[in-house]
């Protein structure tokens, strides 16, 4: 089912993050397969590509999983990378990366309101690392496994974690795998 997609699990900072990303990517694939079935569009057809652009251009009409699945299937006409994954200098990739955040986010049952928004942002940051600073990345990436499990940190918790992360160098931010490691390093400063 994930054939053809880039397998970048080995680069994730922790097994927990790899599992969370893998689970969400499987949900993307499922959401896309459902849309194709609903519209009677064959996978791999030119109609699928046309549908992908339609979805990418109207993100507010679809769940974010469908939008991200569409982006994964499109090629940027300017830089030839997978759409949104091109270099920071590609304005078309930057445009579609920004547009994706207009997609619909519906909280799952029995999670704090805003959990789904936090998941979709953390997932987008983790999969578009080059667009974000090491400090921004580590904050979102450490959060993602807990978010998928249905948690949502309070504002105070998020601010406390951010204060600790700000004591780390950018290199350390990319190397640490858990919040416990952040706390241990921050204590030495
Ligand atoms: Zn591009």
């Amino acid at each position: 089912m994930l054939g053809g997609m880039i397998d970048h699990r080995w680069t994730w900072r922790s097994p927990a993050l790899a599992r969370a990303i893998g689970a969400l990517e499987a949900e993307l694939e499922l959401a896309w397969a459902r849309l194709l079935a609903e519209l009677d569009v064959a996978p791999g057809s030119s109609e699928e590509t046309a549908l992908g652009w339609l979805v990418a251009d109207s993100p507010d009409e679809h769940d974010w999983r469908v939008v991200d699945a569409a982006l994964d299937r499109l090629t940027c006409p300017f830089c030839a990378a997978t759409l949104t994954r091109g270099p920071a200098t590609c304005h078309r990739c930057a445009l579609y990366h920004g547009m994706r955040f207009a997609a619909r986010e519906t909280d799952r049952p029995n999670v704090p309101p805003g959990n789904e928004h936090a998941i979709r942002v953390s997932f987008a940051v983790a999969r578009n690392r080059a667009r974000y600073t090491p400090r921004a990345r580590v904050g979102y990436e450490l959060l993602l496994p807990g978010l998928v499990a249905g948690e949502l940190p309070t504002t105070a918790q998020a601010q406390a974690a951010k204060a600790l992360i700000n004591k780390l160098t950018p290199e350390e931010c990319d190397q640490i795998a858990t919040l416990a490691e952040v706390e241990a390093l921050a204590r030495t400063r």
Side-chain angles (χ1 to χ4, degrees):
M1 187 202 272
L2 294 170
M5 292 186 61
I6 303 161
D7 187 346
H8 35 203
R9 269 168 291 187
W10 62 277
T11 64
W12 302 122
R13 66 174 70 238
S14 71
L17 181 61
R19 279 194 298 275
I21 296 280
L24 289 166
E25 286 183 335
E27 290 179 14
L28 258 55
E29 294 304 297
L30 199 62
W32 188 252
R34 255 191 220 126
L35 183 67
L36 291 188
E38 267 170 37
L39 300 176
D40 202 17
V41 170
S45 64
S46 56
E47 286 82 2
E48 184 186 30
T49 305
L51 177 62
W53 283 107
L54 208 64
V55 169
D57 283 325
S58 311
D60 53 320
E61 293 176 19
H62 301 276
D63 181 80
W64 72 265
R65 289 171 180 73
V66 171
V67 173
D68 276 17
L71 295 172
D72 280 351
R73 282 164 173 76
L74 296 171
T75 301
C76 175
F78 284 81
C79 73
T82 300
L83 193 58
T84 75
R85 307 282 185 95
T89 49
C90 180
H91 295 303
R92 188 59 62 100
C93 279
L95 174 70
Y96 278 93
H97 179 65
M99 280 169 64
R100 77 166 80 219
F101 295 105
R104 293 177 186 171
E105 300 155 348
T106 309
D107 278 317
R108 297 167 293 168
N110 307 315
V111 299
N115 170 272
E116 189 70 15
H117 175 69
I119 289 178
R120 83 91 63 248
V121 173
S122 299
F123 181 70
V125 170
R127 295 212 311 164
N128 293 273
R129 308 185 86 243
R131 296 192 181 282
Y132 300 90
T133 64
R135 282 204 173 88
R137 288 199 290 258
V138 71
Y140 284 111
E141 291 177 5
L142 288 181
L143 213 56
L144 189 55
L147 295 172
V148 169
E151 299 165 5
L152 186 65
T154 63
T155 304
Q157 286 169 335
Q159 282 171 349
K162 197 168 192 279
L164 291 176
I165 286 167
N166 283 343
K167 294 184 178 178
L168 272 51
T169 67
E171 292 73 26
E172 287 169 341
C173 284
D174 274 342
Q175 284 158 8
I176 61 96
T178 64
L179 191 58
E181 287 178 36
V182 176
E183 285 165 352
L185 270 174
R187 261 203 304 274
T188 66
R189 305 291 145 84

